[in-house]
Amino acid sequence: MLSRQADNRLSSVLVATTAVLVALCLWYNHAWFYDDTDITLRYARHLAQGLGPRWNIAGPPVEGFTSPLHVFAVAALLKLHVADRLAVRLISFAGHIVLLAFLWRWTRARFGQLAAVLTTCAVAVSFPLLVWDLGGLEAVPFAALCTAGTLFCFDYLESSNRRDLLWGGVLLGIAAFTRMDGAVAAIAALLAVLLLSKAPLRQRVIDVVLSGLIVVASLVPWQIFRELYFHAPLPNTYYAKVYGIPLGWRVRNGLLYWKIYLKLAPYPAEILFLIAVVQLLRRRVSRLSLALWLWLLIMAAYIVTTGGDHMFAARFMVTLVPIFALASVIGLLQIGALSTPALASSVAALFLVTSALQFRNEILNPRYESSSSLAGTIVGNSMRALIPAGSLVGLNVAGAMPYVDDDLNYIDMLGLNDYEIARRNPVPIDPAKHPVVVGHLKGDGLSVLRRHPDVLLLGPPSGQLAKGWLTLGDSEIVAAPEFARDYRLCSAPLIVTPQERAQLALVHLTADVQIYYYVRRGSRVVCERDLSQAQ
């Protein structure tokens, strides 16, 4: 057992070193911002303006955002005149701080100071959490809610106190309102309690059902609103990313996602696995450890079945990081790996080294604003004078440009913000013909052309010619006879500031390119340079 002096000394070293690593990570990646966050911001801005949670002002609304609670929170800050990117970052950092405070208090009360310091520092210095604090999506606040709700539920394992389980249900219900997979976290937590709690079976069943009803009740108001406003039983993100995508394909890509994650420092899954093996061999496994393992397995299986994710910094794993950290620290305590100064110092040294190794991987260090966000912003500003307000634009990169040019209506040709394209089923997946990107497999060229968009931007934010490597929807557009008949190819230069030119160079893009856009004949869109004869 460590003396209080040794405990305090080691804790101080851990906290100080962790603070340095956190500061370096934030400085190194401070410019990072992700294009999809602009989708959330467009919904939130319209909500703050009193137009409702909608992407396009005209036409039927669609639930193309991932997190209702996040949209409402961002809208509230925008209403208070907080700058857009500052608003989303404030919410993420606040979620991270609340998560750390909760973990510190919860772990210290049950396992002591050193365990609390190790757990909290591991979550504080996790690059996936820090990067998504900067990136702007809801991953970190969602992780905070899932962690707090799950641990409240797991207090019931030993206490058999119904109040613990009910508070867990409240927090997990809010998590499910934050993101749909919060329901999976709730199912995992309540199943673990049902299987592992020492409470009598009848009491256990009743309490789990009551907690589950709280989760369901927290979703009912939004579900009613969803049905009445969006006319859909599930968010459009489900239809765009999962519906119609073969399960076998999703599982293969989900396993690949895990394979990539397992190569990333600080190797939380591998470390927990090794600790768990020792726990099992020594028969030092508590109910809490078993519950944490089961929760992680269910969440890991869910990630596999969804096909994983295409974004930087292991976004889907953010939710798992706090539970990985806590389960590992509890395991270390149970096998005696923190019982002497020498052992505890060795564990601390390993933690600091593996944490520092996160700087070596580009996946965990995007560093600069995402290329699609930066390019989309520049293209939007460059084309503002060319496209009259109210025009309909079809495009694939649906974040930055629609946020910049808010007076236009858009067709999201990958389906995330489009009711009809998202529901395409089956979806032809052919890597030999089209780009295959998890979450961006949908497309329906004929659906796009039926709506007669005034402008079509094929491919990347700056557009591309109607040839070469095209998405599913783009290839169908190009193959349709009406495309050649009704659209002409135009180009316009990018209008960039010196600062934007330097930023483009950092993400390996050049400002010396043309915007290629297809204009519907007879529309009021300005064709700055007509290339239809050369098409």
Side-chain angles (χ1 to χ4, degrees), residues 299-320:
M299 295 299 288
Y302 168 77
I303 290 171
V304 169
T305 59
T306 62
D309 190 36
H310 68 283
M311 299 184 191
F312 272 94
R315 181 177 67 109
F316 273 10
M317 301 304 185
V318 168
T319 313
L320 279 59

Side-chain angles (χ1 to χ4, degrees), residues 400-420:
M401 181 178 173
Y403 186 66
V404 170
D405 289 341
D406 195 39
D407 57 354
L408 304 178
N409 290 301
Y410 296 88
I411 301 172
D412 180 352
M413 298 195 298
L414 294 178
L416 187 68
N417 300 285
D418 189 272
Y419 187 95
E420 187 173 333

Side-chain angles (χ1 to χ4, degrees), residues 11-12 38 62 82 95 116 129 179 195 230 233 247 252 288 304 308 371 377 384 413 421 445 451 474:
S11 296
S12 298
D38 284 322
V62 60
V82 178
L129 274 78
R179 209 165 78 190
L195 295 176
F230 298 114
L247 177 61
R252 285 195 300 273
L288 179 56
V304 169
S371 58
T377 299
R384 182 175 289 130
M413 298 195 298
I421 294 173
R451 287 175 262 181
D474 288 353

Side-chain angles (χ1 to χ4, degrees), residues 352-388:
L352 293 174
V353 169
T354 54
S355 296
L357 288 175
Q358 293 177 101
F359 283 106
R360 299 177 59 188
N361 198 289
E362 291 183 358
I363 294 176
L364 296 177
N365 294 277
R367 296 192 65 186
Y368 309 112
E369 181 175 352
S370 71
S371 58
S372 53
S373 174
L374 178 59
T377 299
I378 295 171
V379 169
N381 288 328
S382 300
M383 298 193 73
R384 182 175 289 130
L386 305 178
I387 308 177

